Amino acid sequence: MESATPVIVAIDGPAGTGKSSTSKAVAAQLGLSYLDTGAQYRAITWWMVSNGIDIDDPSAVAAAAGKPEIVSGTDPQGPTITVDGVDVAGPIRTQEVSSQVSAVSAVPEVRTRITELQRSIAASAEQGIVVEGRDIGTTVLPDADLKIFLTASPEARAARRSGELKGSDVHSTREALIKRDAADSSRKASPLAKADDAVEVDTTELTLAQVIECVVTLVEEKRAGK
C-alpha cells in the first residue's frame, strides 16, 4: 500500500456526541495517529487535584500550569497518557476530575500550555492525525485539512454517556452535560464553537458505525483532493 497523503483532521463537539469512539476508529482505519485533547485537560486537572492546588483560585492554577509533564501516546489502538511518568488513564476519568475539569481548562495559562503541546504532537505526526476536542478547528489547528463538528440531541448524548458510566441516571447525566456545555461555550479562552469551515455531522439518529463511515468518507475525499 503506497503511503497516503498525510492529513490533519480536527473533530470537535460537546461531550456524548461520539467524538472519542469515532476519532479512534477513523484513525485506526486510515493509519493515522490519534489525540484525545480532553484527556490532556483531565490529566492537568488530576495533577492539580493531587497536588492540592486550589481549583477555585485561577491564579494558583495558572502558576502551576507549567509544572506537570504530560505525555500522550497517539496509537489509536491503545492511546496512553502519563503525568510525570505515571499512567493516569484510569484516574483522570473519575467523577472528582470530571467535576473540576471545566474550571481548570477555563484558565488561559492552562489552555496556552496544552494548546502548544497539542500543536507539537500534530506537527510531528508523519502519517497525519485525528485530533478530537472542543476547540481544535477554531483555536488549536485552524489550518487543519478537514474539520468536523459532531452534534447530537441532549437526550441522545445523555443516554450514551450514562451507558458509558454504568448505572448512572440519564436525567442527572443530561443535566450535567447541559451544564458542561454552558461552561465550555461561555468561557473566554477558546470556547466550544463550530469553525466556519467545519462539516457538521448530527449523530442523534446514527449508529456509531454510520458515524465512523461518514467521517472516513469525508477524510478520504479530502485526501483525494489534496
Side-chain angles (χ1 to χ4, degrees), residues 73-119:
T74 57
D75 177 356
Q77 310 279 14
T80 57
I81 185 152
T82 62
V83 179
D84 298 335
V86 178
D87 177 359
V88 295
I92 64 171
R93 301 293 169 187
T94 60
Q95 186 52 45
E96 183 181 22
V97 170
S98 296
S99 63
Q100 312 266 20
V101 69
S102 283
V104 173
S105 56
V107 176
E109 288 81 357
V110 170
R111 298 207 76 79
T112 299
R113 162 89 202 283
I114 300 293
T115 296
E116 286 170 359
L117 182 59
Q118 291 161 1
R119 286 176 178 157

Side-chain angles (χ1 to χ4, degrees), residues 45-56:
T45 301
W46 173 85
W47 184 90
M48 298 276 176
V49 171
S50 302
N51 285 274
I53 308 296
D54 182 358
I55 305 297
D56 298 320

